Amino acid sequence: IPDARILAVDDNRVNLVVIKGLLKRTGAKVTCVQSGQECLKCLEQEEFDIVLLDHLMPGMDGIETLSRIRQMGKGYDTLPVIALTANVMYGARERYVNMGFHDFIEKPIAVSKLEQTLSRYLPVSGNH
């Protein structure tokens, strides 16, 4: 995953620190923001390969943020967006996929699950 550009969105700063720490050894470029609004602003200014998006955030939650991302046009309709959630129950993956996410990662985040999920959605080479 070296050179991958990852946008992590979570209203909890500790979760962002954890994600950044888990991804440090991959060589990916990780940008962290704490709200749906900041996420949309970042996407307008910079290109990302994947977005890790917290489901439950105050203000604009992950579902609303995702729907706004999808409306941005030019490639944003297919940009891989992975839900981050502590709300995991049976059938969670199907629920998130039905909402428009590519997949979900459960919190607390396990490094193996994070890396597996990223490698599934990121291009293999560092070429963009």
Side-chain angles (χ1 to χ4, degrees), residues 92-104:
R93 184 172 192 278
E94 289 68 32
R95 279 195 28 245
Y96 281 105
V97 168
N98 290 338
M99 287 186 246
F101 289 94
H102 282 71
D103 209 333
F104 81 97

Side-chain angles (χ1 to χ4, degrees), residues 53-90:
L53 180 59
D54 185 23
H55 175 189
L56 298 174
M57 296 185 290
M60 192 189 302
D61 71 4
I63 311 295
E64 188 183 339
T65 304
L66 175 66
S67 107
R68 298 228 190 151
I69 291 170
R70 295 295 180 233
Q71 294 164 12
M72 289 171 72
K74 61 170 178 12
Y76 292 103
D77 50 344
T78 56
L79 176 70
V81 179
I82 310 298
L84 300 176
T85 182
N87 259 354
V88 179
M89 52 200 116
Y90 181 76

Side-chain angles (χ1 to χ4, degrees), residues 1-7 20 23 26-31 46-48:
I1 326 172
D3 299 334
R5 293 159 305 182
I6 300 169
L7 178 58
K20 217 168 179 153
L23 291 172
T26 66
K29 177 183 185 287
V30 184
T31 302
E46 209 178 317
E47 267 185 47
F48 290 92

